[in-house]
Amino acid sequence: MSLETFQSLKGTTPEARLAELGIELPPKRTPMGNYTGAVTTGKLVFVAGHGTFRGSEQTHKGKLGAEISVEEGQEGARNAVISALTSLKNEIGDLSRVTRVVRLFGMVASTPDFHRQPEVIDGASNLLTAVFGPAGVHARCAVGFAALPANMPVELEMVVEIA
């Protein structure tokens, strides 16, 4: 998905564009520890780490370069950003308040010889661009990790600016 996908969608709100893409935000998930899914300070919302979950169901397990293919990793990253959007919506009430996706930090559990982390995190970046258009284009980091919680292949954090 790209800016062309965004331009082809008829929906005028992020929620309408999600619906056009066949995406329903899952119920808010209980955090895995003593934290909350998102925190607002001023005009910035810091969205905590979200992994490969659809609601309470974990969709992917394993490492890139071993059990998980790049395509499966991209799907996992997409699911992680959908989960993050659920926390964001719960925090701010309406995704139309987003004026800019500022930063996406992508963590990829991978073998030492796997070097395609940016391709994996594109699964999340492409969806953000499709949903928010130019405001969804963000600064990003995509790095490899030896392991992530619950054997997740991908975990994402976001910083978003709101009106």
Side-chain angles (χ1 to χ4, degrees):
M1 286 181 256
S2 61
L3 285 175
E4 292 80 30
T5 302
F6 170 79
Q7 292 165 342
S8 72
L9 298 173
K10 295 178 176 69
T12 57
T13 67
E15 284 88 349
R17 289 188 285 277
L18 283 166
E20 277 188 71
L21 293 166
I23 298 170
E24 184 177 332
L25 294 181
K28 183 178 175 183
R29 221 170 72 68
T30 302
M32 297 173 89
N34 185 15
Y35 63 94
T36 187
V39 173
T40 304
T41 181
K43 291 185 172 193
L44 295 178
V45 182
F46 292 81
V47 181
H50 284 70
T52 54
F53 284 86
R54 186 175 297 121
S56 62
E57 173 196 354
Q58 188 169 350
T59 61
H60 297 80
K61 289 184 179 189
K63 288 187 179 187
L64 277 289
E67 307 88 359
I68 303 289
S69 69
V70 170
E71 295 76 20
E72 291 168 320
Q74 289 170 333
E75 182 184 337
R78 186 174 187 265
N79 289 345
V81 83
I82 291 167
S83 181
L85 289 173
T86 295
S87 289
L88 177 62
K89 183 174 174 69
N90 277 289
E91 176 71 10
I92 66 174
D94 183 351
L95 294 177
S96 293
R97 292 186 60 201
V98 173
T99 58
R100 176 101 203 170
V101 178
V102 177
R103 181 172 190 259
L104 182 68
F105 179 63
M107 297 160 269
V108 180
S110 50
T111 60
D113 61 341
F114 183 84
H115 304 287
R116 297 173 66 187
Q117 290 85 356
E119 284 180 68
V120 172
I121 301 303
D122 276 345
S125 294
N126 292 343
L127 181 61
L128 289 171
T129 304
V131 171
F132 295 107
V137 179
H138 48 272
R140 186 179 90 178
C141 185
V143 295
F145 278 72
L148 292 171
N151 197 24
M152 295 182 299
V154 176
E155 185 174 357
L156 305 172
E157 292 181 354
M158 288 193 311
V159 179
V160 175
E161 182 183 56
I162 58 172

